[in-house]
Every structure is written in structure tokens, then in C-alpha cells.
Amino acid sequence: QPVLRCGGRLFQNSKGSAATYKLSSVVTKIETFISHNWCVPRWKKYLCLALHFNAFTAVLVTLIVMLAFSMLSAFGFVPVVQLSERPVPEGFLIKFTCVPTFLGVLLLAPDFLRCWSRCNPICFLDKTCIHQEDKGIQRRGIQRLGAFLAHSDSMVIIYTDVYLTKLWTVYEVASFLALHSVEQMWVMPTLMPQIVVFGLVLFYLSGVIGFVLWSFTGFLYAIECAVLLLLYVFVLAIRAWARS
């Protein structure tokens, strides 16, 4: 079963049950082994896995939307904006829809694009693949963790500062590297998707603010100025985080 549906509800806590165990099934191959720590907040894990599994789908859908609006603008079916001193009209709908489309697909693809195979990988998640209540089944599952790793094509690590301080996750990494090449391991720091999402939101807001300023003031480079201003704020935020 996909682990990202309903906002990654499975990552809410580590408490499992017979119901969560039933979400798993017997397979001969695991596409992705998810390695994580339960002390990491659910939303950080969700963003990391969404970026890993859904980025390609989000880019593809966004390109399709951009192409569709470009064609509609070229044939006069949707309005365009003619800025003075610029020879070519601009399709403002593309600017206002691309970022929301990308973020919408990135975060909601498992719920609304279930037919897309990338949204339904066969994953190993300890909460669902190892019984959390029946101690006998749980012990056998833990003893066969190496078999799960051996039959996994890749590993996704949701990396934080505590990852290498926990024996369980260190064992998973060491065992996987003993069985597979390092090229099959994907390390996803929890900060990376935050930078991507926050940066895109700032870029989108700068475009909206710039368009509004241009509409009321007529200043030709209002959009560019708004982009640079919010980019400066973004750089200051990243610099403050790095220092802390």
C-alpha cells in the first residue's frame, strides 16, 4: 500500500496494530526500503518522500500544463498581457498556475493520481511490514531484516542529525551497503524539501506581488524587483538557519 496517502498518516507515530500489518503483502521484490527515525516529525518525512517519489510526476504534469496554456495563449483562447517596451505578449496564467500545479502534484499525487505507477512503489516500512503486537511474528520479522534489505532495489534515508546515533538505522545502512552498491542508496536530508517548497512559494508570491504592483503602478520591472526582494529574504533565512 502507498505510504504517502492522507498526508503520510502512517508516519504519525510508531504504534502499529494488526490493521497496519494487513497493509503489507508478500512480494518477491521491494522497490524501496524506507529508513527513518520515529522521532522525526511526520511532516518532515512526508516532504522528503514526496520529493523523492513524486518530483518526476510533478515536473511532467507542470510541463503539460505549461504547454497547454502556451498553445491556448498562442491561439487566443486565453488572455495575455502586453507590457509596454516588450515586443511579445506574456501569458500571465502560466505564471500563476505552474507553481501551484507543481506543488499540488508533488504533495497530493498519491491521493489523486493513484493510476501513476511512481505513486505506488512497493516499499518496506517497519510499522507495516513487521508486526507490532504479536511478539512472535515481530521477532521473526526483525531476525529476517537482512532478507528485506537483500530483496530491496534501493534505500531511501530520511536523514537528520539523530540518524547515525541510533543503532537500528546504523544497522540498516551497514547491512544495505554490504549487500548493494552505494549508488542504490538515496540520502534525503529533511531540510532539502523544505528549501524546495519554501523557495517555490516565495518565488510564486514574488510573481503575484510584482504583477499586482505592475497593475497599479505601471512599473515595468515590478515583477523582477519583487523576485529579487523575496530572494534576498530567502537567502537571509537560509543563512540564519546555517548559523544556528
Side-chain angles (χ1 to χ4, degrees):
Q1 292 285 339
V3 297
L4 293 180
R5 290 182 184 172
C6 303
R9 183 171 53 188
L10 287 173
F11 293 100
Q12 182 67 36
N13 53 61
S14 61
K15 185 179 179 180
S17 63
T20 56
Y21 184 69
K22 288 182 179 179
L23 294 175
S24 62
S25 59
V26 178
V27 297
T28 58
K29 184 181 70 171
I30 300 172
E31 294 180 33
T32 304
F33 187 102
I34 299 175
S35 182
H36 68 106
N37 300 109
W38 284 108
C39 60
V40 178
R42 162 188 173 181
W43 66 271
K44 290 185 178 182
K45 299 177 186 178
Y46 179 73
L47 288 180
C48 287
L49 295 177
L51 184 63
H52 178 76
F53 289 117
N54 302 336
F56 176 79
T57 307
V59 170
L60 182 61
V61 173
T62 303
L63 289 176
I64 293 174
V65 171
M66 291 177 60
L67 180 61
F69 275 117
S70 298
M71 296 296 293
L72 292 174
S73 300
F75 289 101
F77 292 104
V78 295
V80 295
V81 176
Q82 179 65 60
L83 299 177
S84 58
E85 301 180 13
R86 293 187 180 179
V88 181
E90 296 190 7
F92 65 93
L93 287 179
I94 295 180
K95 294 183 178 180
F96 289 165
T97 56
C98 285
V99 172
T101 299
F102 178 84
L103 293 178
V105 175
L106 183 72
L107 302 177
L108 303 176
D111 292 307
F112 296 99
L113 296 176
R114 298 185 180 184
C115 59
W116 191 271
S117 60
R118 284 285 296 175
C119 299
N120 295 278
I122 300 175
C123 299
F124 174 91
L125 180 64
D126 49 4
K127 180 178 179 178
T128 58
C129 297
I130 297 178
H131 208 295
Q132 301 298 308
E133 291 184 342
D134 189 312
K135 297 305 178 182
I137 300 177
Q138 183 184 68
R139 183 175 61 256
R140 290 195 297 271
I142 294 175
Q143 291 174 345
R144 290 166 175 78
L145 185 61
F148 288 114
L149 290 163
H151 289 81
S152 299
D153 291 339
S154 64
M155 171 183 278
V156 175
I157 296 175
I158 302 176
Y159 185 80
T160 61
D161 292 339
V162 302
Y163 184 85
L164 293 178
T165 65
K166 302 297 183 180
L167 180 61
W168 181 269
T169 46
V170 170
Y171 171 77
E172 291 176 348
V173 170
S175 300
F176 187 85
L177 290 178
L179 297 167
H180 304 280
S181 66
V182 69
E183 287 78 13
Q184 294 172 270
M185 178 180 290
W186 299 84
V187 180
M188 181 69 70
T190 54
L191 181 65
M192 182 182 298
Q194 298 177 51
I195 292 176
V196 172
V197 173
F198 185 59
L200 286 175
V201 170
L202 280 181
F203 178 77
Y204 179 73
L205 290 177
S206 64
V208 173
I209 294 172
F211 183 80
V212 172
L213 290 176
W214 170 81
S215 300
F216 285 96
T217 65
F219 181 50
L220 181 62
Y221 298 102
I223 297 177
E224 288 79 359
C225 291
V227 170
L228 291 176
L229 178 62
L230 290 183
L231 180 62
Y232 177 70
V233 173
F234 180 68
V235 171
L236 288 180
I238 297 298
R239 185 180 181 185
W241 171 86
R243 287 182 172 180
S244 64

